[in-house]
């Protein structure tokens, strides 16, 4: 028999030390982490409901409590307007998590250190989400459609909507309410690479046929940075963001600036 033979079927476990670093799980609280189910976001670019409820929102202390919350008959947790009863359901960038019993809604965004952060939002804002267009094509029945970063397929989108643009999707109807073009002068949030979580205005796009296209951005403090095209997610026309941003508005501070903020907060707390 061949000792190097692969296991049969999909993997069902995830070791805790191998879990994505941005989940912020400690090493000593067990051997395993919740392995996200197959869903609209990739395994290493998502946050399972179990980690969100226990580690981020602090609504549960252990897995038993998580199960009693998500498996409740009434359906207590909504993701993008749909009841989700799977504790391993992958929530990802721009997803809206709603808990009607507490009257809270959160949007999943990145902070400047690349960690998922549930940003508390108003009820009006919880009715839509921004989706990036990953592909535009024509189906077998000659119907044009677009696919988005969260695996949605939307048919008969407006012809002016192209790849890399952002569409504003109504979560109740699934229809496109508005769209934002990927062009210089618009506000964007970085979803991957070293600058993940930073927010800036697109200043220039370098085209490299056959290689990675590079986009240059400038944040509100005047700092410039560059990243690959696939890491850039447009979130607003001009300087105004269409969604509520995390604390700090996506501006990355230096180590000294961070320390000054921490010292000031400690001084106010002790005063």
């Amino acid at each position: 028999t061949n000792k190097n033979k692969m296991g049969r079927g999909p993997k069902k476990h995830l070791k805790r030390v191998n879990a994505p670093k941005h989940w912020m799980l400690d090493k000593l609280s067990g051997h395993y982490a919740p392995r996200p189910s197959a869903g609209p976001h990739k395994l290493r670019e998502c946050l399972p409901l179990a980690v969100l409820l226990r580690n981020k929102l602090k609504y549960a202390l252990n897995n038993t409590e998580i199960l009693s919350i998500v498996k409740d008959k009434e359906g207590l947790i909504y993701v993008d307007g749909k009841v989700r009863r799977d504790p391993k359901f992958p929530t990802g960038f721009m997803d809206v998590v709603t808990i009607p019993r507490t009257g809270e809604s959160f949007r999943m965004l990145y902070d400047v250190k690349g960690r998922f952060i549930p940003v508390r939002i108003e009820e009006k804002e919880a009715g839509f989400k921004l989706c990036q267009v990953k592909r535009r094509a024509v189906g077998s029945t000659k119907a044009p459609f677009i696919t988005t970063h969260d695996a949605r397929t939307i048919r008969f989108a407006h012809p002016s909507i192209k790849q890399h643009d952002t569409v504003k999707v109504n979560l109740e109807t699934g229809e496109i309410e508005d769209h934002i073009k990927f062009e210089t002068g618009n506000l964007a949030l970085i979803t991957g690479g070293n600058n993940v979580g930073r927010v800036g205005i697109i200043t220039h796009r370098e085209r490299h046929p056959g290689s990675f296209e590079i986009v240059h951005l400038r944040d509100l403090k005047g700092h410039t940075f560059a990243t690959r095209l696939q890491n850039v997610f447009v979130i607003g026309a001009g300087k105004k963001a269409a969604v509520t941003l995390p604390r700090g508005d996506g501006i990355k501070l230096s180590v000294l600036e961070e320390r000054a903020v921490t010292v000031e907060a400690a001084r106010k707390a002790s005063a």
Side-chain angles (χ1 to χ4, degrees):
T1 56
N2 184 5
K3 287 183 180 177
N4 297 327
K5 192 177 177 185
M6 293 289 287
R8 294 184 300 177
K11 290 182 169 60
K12 291 188 163 65
H13 294 74
L14 177 66
K15 285 282 178 72
R16 207 169 179 85
V17 290
N18 198 35
K21 197 164 174 242
H22 59 77
W23 290 6
M24 306 287 287
L25 299 179
D26 53 349
K27 286 192 290 189
L28 302 177
S29 294
H31 290 299
Y32 294 96
R35 183 186 180 87
S37 304
H41 299 279
K42 292 181 179 178
L43 184 144
R44 304 201 76 81
E45 294 169 13
C46 75
L47 192 72
L49 272 181
V51 178
L52 174 67
L53 291 172
R54 184 174 55 198
N55 299 54
K56 301 286 185 188
L57 301 179
K58 305 281 194 289
Y59 277 136
L61 292 171
N62 52 44
N63 198 52
T64 311
E65 291 183 7
I66 292 166
L67 288 174
S68 65
I69 293 170
V70 297
K71 300 283 190 186
D72 193 272
K73 245 184 221 175
E74 288 181 32
L76 302 181
I77 309 293
Y78 287 72
V79 179
D80 288 347
K82 289 190 176 140
V83 176
R84 297 294 178 188
R85 291 190 168 88
D86 178 11
K88 297 177 182 177
F89 182 82
T91 64
F93 185 65
M94 280 292 166
D95 282 0
V96 176
V97 180
T98 307
I99 309 170
R101 189 169 281 188
T102 61
E104 292 174 313
S105 294
F106 303 92
R107 191 183 300 282
M108 303 300 293
L109 295 175
Y110 290 112
D111 68 2
V112 288
K113 295 191 184 294
R115 302 172 296 211
F116 270 116
I117 186 159
V119 179
R120 200 179 294 268
I121 55 175
E122 298 293 326
E123 189 181 344
K124 186 182 175 187
E125 196 186 318
F128 72 87
K129 73 182 292 191
L130 299 183
C131 300
Q132 188 180 46
V133 178
K134 288 292 184 188
R135 180 168 163 250
R136 185 178 182 97
V138 177
S140 57
T141 58
K142 300 289 183 282
F145 68 91
I146 59 171
T147 52
T148 64
H149 81 284
D150 60 345
R152 288 169 191 266
T153 301
I154 302 172
R155 303 172 81 222
F156 303 110
H158 195 277
S160 66
I161 299 173
K162 305 293 183 192
Q163 190 181 12
H164 308 303
D165 290 353
T166 297
V167 292
K168 183 179 175 181
V169 176
N170 184 313
L171 293 177
E172 199 174 327
T173 61
E175 301 293 317
I176 295 174
E177 290 183 344
D178 195 8
H179 73 280
I180 308 162
K181 298 294 290 177
F182 185 100
E183 57 192 13
T184 56
N186 283 350
L187 198 67
L189 192 147
I190 309 303
T191 58
N194 283 344
N195 293 305
V196 61
R198 292 181 76 172
V199 173
I201 291 165
I202 300 169
T203 56
H204 178 53
R205 173 178 173 179
E206 286 179 28
R207 295 179 188 270
H208 301 286
S211 185
F212 297 107
E213 295 190 13
I214 304 296
V215 176
H216 294 262
L217 302 98
R218 186 181 65 254
D219 70 14
L220 296 177
K221 280 200 165 184
H223 302 306
T224 56
F225 54 98
T227 188
R228 288 177 179 179
L229 173 65
Q230 63 262 36
N231 295 335
V232 181
F233 191 113
V234 179
I235 57 167
K239 291 184 179 180
K240 186 165 171 51
V243 294
T244 304
L245 293 173
R247 192 169 53 191
D249 292 336
I251 295 169
K252 192 168 190 176
L253 303 176
S254 68
V255 177
L256 292 174
E257 287 170 329
E258 259 184 36
R259 182 182 177 277
V261 170
T262 310
V263 169
E264 182 63 21
R267 189 185 63 78
K268 282 182 180 176
S270 62

